[in-house]
Amino acid sequence: ALPEGHPFGATVRDAVVAAGGEEPLSVGAPYGSDLRQYAAAGIPTVQYGPGNIEDAHAVDESVPIDEVVLSARAYAHLLLRHCGR
């Protein structure tokens, strides 16, 4: 879990918007993720990406290419803002 008001959440949100996406919601999820390993080490984490979690790891899983492109753009913005300081 990312602490409420942690600046990394806003950084990710701003990167998505800068990439041309709608402002993403910040919500919890009822499933597990490897991000728990980073969180346990004190590293702030946010899970963001293309597709619908309901389709993940399913037979005939697919992701719309426009969502993949948007996510790649958001990651680029995030890297430039967060790591290019």
Side-chain angles (χ1 to χ4, degrees), residues 38-80:
Y38 294 100
I43 300 169
T45 62
V46 173
Q47 187 163 324
Y48 169 79
N52 185 329
I53 192 63
E54 295 172 0
D55 299 328
H57 310 296
V59 175
D60 296 327
E61 175 182 8
S62 65
V63 178
I65 192 67
D66 60 325
E67 292 184 26
V68 173
V69 171
L70 172 63
S71 294
R73 287 181 179 151
Y75 302 149
H77 281 279
L78 179 62
L79 285 169
L80 290 172

